[in-house]
Amino acid sequence: MLSAFQLLTEIIQNTNLSIASLCRLRPLRSGLSPSVLQTLSPPSPGGSSCDCWRSLLSELSPPQRAAALDSLRPLMNGSQSWLPQMSCLVPFVPLKELALDGAAVLRNSALYRHLPWSTQQVLLNSSPTEGAHVADYKQCSPFYLRFASPLRAQFLLRKTLQYSNLTKETVMTLGNIAGGLGCDWLWLWANDSDFTELLRFLSDLPGGVRASLRKCIIEEIQKRPVIDLYQLAPQFSANLPARMIESLSNATLASILEHITKHFPDFLRLPPHKQSILAEKARLILGVPAEGGISGVSMDLLGPLLPFLDLGILGVVHREALLLRLDEVKGYCLPRCALQEIGQLLTERSMLGEMSGWTLAQMEHAGRLLFTLSPQEIHRLPTVVVSPDSVEQVLDAERRWKVSEVGRACMTMDREREKKESLVARIVHRGGKNKKELSPSCSDIKGTFPAAWSAAQLSGMLELELRECVETLGQDRELSSEQRRAVWARFKQIYGPVKTMRAEQILQLGCIVTQLSERELQELDLSNLGILAYLGGMEEWSPKQMRVAVLRFLRRSGQTVERLGVTELASLGFLLCGMTPSEMSRLDPRSLSAAALFLGELPLRCSELQSETLATRLMTIQAFGPVSEWGPEVFTEIGTLAAGLSDMVLSSLVREQLEGLTPAAIALISPSKLAVVLSTAQLSWMTPEQAGAVTPAQWAELSSDQSQAVAMTQYEGELIQDPRGRNLALTQPSPDSTAVWLLALGSILCALV
């Protein structure tokens, strides 16, 4: 509970908090204020707290990580003496503060070679780009999505090049650091006799190969058909281009299938057309016949791959076998077309029958698969089976699935809000059309979801019920502005004026605080970094609200813009856009460059001028220097802040630099700017992940040549896609691969429906 977290913060705020005690408080870490984490006692030389620090930094929010690292600065202090005992922190320290040289990297390579390299966190908006596989996050507390990004490995490898020549033998002794290898070195060694051995080593790196290096490896493999793909790691081979997957040997496919079975979320992160092709290949390897229908034995063999087979395959599944295995199917990730097919099957007479005749037992048997039906079908459920208890069970099952390993990796958004509203409609509107709708109790809210209830109903809740349900209400991102305003109006009556509210009460409100007026924001104590960081993690603020919040923070904290440190900048988060361009131009470049690691994780809603001002500050000597000197790791480090780079800078990026842009940064570049500054050649350099981040609005501005370059990149030279996802065509498919190409085309069309 947020209140418990905040109470913990208040208790320890003035104590000398040790890392050991914080590790014992693991369940409560997320409630700690950055100001508390800044007071952590630095580890003593020769101590054994490195693993604890690594655990801490990998779980905290960006403002909290910035604050925790603040407490370590006296230890680091620009020297390398801390590295032997605290080498596990290297993946988390901002690039600007990594005082490492090539000699030290080589000398201490044993300390780094097994480290899990840095994860880039990205907070996505609620409308991810087409094809994105992200976790559902309808929570109003700040939530960050993490994607593997070995930018520290690139940095360390670049440092070693300044000290000595790089050989293949050296690369293979560097362990995980080798993930930072550049394409230029790969090309240099491509004709060596032991090149395949190097590829095998790179393909088997923990956490996978970064996108740009994977693209280069695939390009080299395509030039050398003699390379035995069986020697590559199965996790790498699973993400080969579709045409290459089609030509893999049965032995290679069997190893991929074994990997998929053990690491199914990895499969769910692949593009839809590759999922369909691999599922079809698995069917052949497992000996599942295409004729005669899919038996129960075949279903057991295919497992969660079943829904990814060719469109229509679920229609030939033996109904009795499917009925017996519905509990297993409930745990599957279902692509959009599979959702529709499962929904049709559920209502067949041989399955659960016409929905209007369902019993409570049939509804419970369907469980969360109810959401494979249309809103209209769900509305036809018999009134007798739609009770508060049965509805709560279905919704709870859906929530639990979403936080499961498979649920987090699966992103099937198919009219979910409409379907949930159809399910709860008779509970929410039980007062009838001609009667006043009843206000919910807290148990009603928890048994359904807050956004299902009208603003009037929420406003009419009893004070006791509202107090009990404040956190549940505040965590529902689906609440409309009208609903949030209604709830906020009630809580003002309960809690009193904003200036008298306690910190934990503010944090309990979640997204409801976005309804504070400008005058009410002026009453907040934003010198409390816990409150500032919480508000700074929300993106729904208006420009006026952000401006008021920034001014209030500066006045209450006694800070000036020039003196803001890394923790303060990271805590401001989205609120940073409340500064004027003039104020941004006075930010300390060194602090901003260190804070870029945390700010670059957010899709800041700054104006174009503000974004350009921030990017300009990063190009000063005290920050990262001229862009011409930036390696790809700097572009990845600054994340979404790179969207503010000027037209001239973006248009002059070389391939290695462009590949360092994060997909989130590309999605934030204005459509007109993207079309003007990036040439067709530059667009063709993008990785499939970068190309997949191009938004529909950006597509609409691209020329025919540019859109073709992006489509060819997204589908690795194999498919062309219309800017709006229509008129898909195959690019010179080989005669013996027609079936596989039809699978790929079908899966993409299904995803675009």
Side-chain angles (χ1 to χ4, degrees), residues 190-212:
N191 293 319
D192 292 0
S193 58
D194 57 352
F195 183 58
T196 302
E197 183 181 356
L198 176 64
L199 295 187
R200 181 171 61 248
F201 168 74
L202 292 173
S203 70
D204 201 27
L205 288 172
V209 180
R210 79 178 194 279
S212 58

Side-chain angles (χ1 to χ4, degrees), residues 205-278:
L205 288 172
V209 180
R210 79 178 194 279
S212 58
L213 181 57
R214 185 182 73 240
K215 182 178 180 180
C216 294
I217 291 175
I218 290 172
E219 289 174 353
E220 291 305 316
I221 292 174
Q222 289 174 325
K223 296 175 185 175
R224 295 164 176 79
V226 295
I227 292 179
D228 183 4
L229 298 181
Y230 182 70
Q231 298 187 56
L232 300 178
Q235 61 265 32
F236 183 90
S237 298
N239 202 12
L240 288 170
R243 186 178 286 114
M244 295 179 71
I245 293 175
E246 189 270 336
S247 64
L248 292 175
S249 67
N250 283 349
T252 302
L253 289 167
S255 68
I256 292 175
L257 179 58
E258 182 181 1
H259 172 77
I260 287 173
T261 302
K262 295 178 180 177
H263 308 280
F264 198 70
D266 289 352
F267 172 82
L268 296 178
R269 296 183 183 99
L270 296 174
H273 64 290
K274 292 184 183 180
Q275 291 173 340
S276 291
I277 292 172
L278 286 172

Side-chain angles (χ1 to χ4, degrees), residues 258-507:
E258 182 181 1
H259 172 77
I260 287 173
T261 302
K262 295 178 180 177
H263 308 280
F264 198 70
D266 289 352
F267 172 82
L268 296 178
R269 296 183 183 99
L270 296 174
H273 64 290
K274 292 184 183 180
Q275 291 173 340
S276 291
I277 292 172
L278 286 172
E280 178 61 20
K281 289 294 184 180
R283 183 188 67 79
L284 297 173
I285 292 293
L286 295 171
V288 175
E291 299 81 20
I294 301 294
S295 67
V297 173
S298 296
M299 286 186 68
D300 293 337
L301 286 172
L302 289 166
L305 289 173
L306 175 65
F308 295 90
L309 288 171
D310 191 15
L311 180 62
I313 195 71
L314 290 173
V316 298
V317 169
H318 293 176
R319 303 305 191 258
E320 184 178 353
L322 176 60
L323 194 58
L324 290 173
R325 291 165 176 81
L326 272 189
D327 283 342
E328 286 80 12
V329 176
K330 291 174 191 175
Y332 293 171
C333 175
L334 301 175
R336 187 167 285 111
C337 287
L339 282 174
Q340 299 167 4
E341 290 188 271
I342 289 288
Q344 292 170 2
L345 290 173
L346 285 181
T347 58
E348 286 186 3
R349 185 180 298 276
S350 56
M351 288 287 289
L352 298 180
E354 172 60 38
M355 293 198 65
S356 59
W358 275 17
T359 64
L360 185 59
Q362 287 170 312
M363 180 172 171
E364 290 175 349
H365 199 180
R368 61 170 297 268
L369 293 180
L370 273 177
F371 296 120
T372 64
L373 303 166
S374 71
Q376 294 74 25
E377 288 173 319
I378 293 174
H379 190 68
R380 290 203 297 270
L381 280 168
T383 302
V384 68
V385 304
V386 186
S387 67
D389 287 343
S390 63
V391 167
E392 183 174 2
Q393 287 178 14
V394 172
L395 291 172
D396 187 56
E398 177 72 1
R399 283 189 284 261
R400 282 186 281 108
W401 176 81
K402 284 185 177 181
V403 298
S404 69
E405 191 176 18
V406 169
R408 290 195 305 269
C410 178
M411 189 63 176
T412 303
M413 304 288 286
D414 186 35
R415 304 173 70 186
E416 180 185 17
R417 172 73 180 268
E418 289 181 73
K419 294 177 180 183
K420 289 198 303 181
E421 288 179 344
S422 290
L423 181 62
V424 304
R426 273 169 280 190
I427 296 172
V428 173
H429 304 297
R430 59 183 181 267
K433 292 183 179 180
N434 299 320
K435 298 179 182 179
K436 182 180 179 181
E437 292 183 333
L438 300 178
S439 291
S441 65
C442 187
S443 60
D444 290 332
I445 294 287
K446 292 179 177 178
T448 54
F449 57 100
W453 303 83
S454 70
Q457 288 175 302
L458 295 174
S459 180
M461 289 179 67
L462 297 175
E463 178 179 328
L464 182 63
E465 301 292 341
L466 273 172
R467 285 182 179 274
E468 183 182 347
C469 230
V470 55
E471 291 172 2
T472 302
L473 290 163
Q475 294 304 305
D476 189 351
R477 190 176 290 273
E478 290 182 340
L479 284 174
S480 67
S481 296
E482 182 184 9
Q483 289 169 313
R484 296 182 193 187
R485 281 195 300 272
V487 174
W488 171 232
R490 285 299 314 281
F491 277 112
K492 281 195 294 185
Q493 297 172 0
I494 296 171
Y495 290 155
V498 171
K499 60 184 176 183
T500 65
M501 290 175 63
R502 300 189 304 275
E504 66 268 23
Q505 291 175 323
I506 297 293
L507 298 181

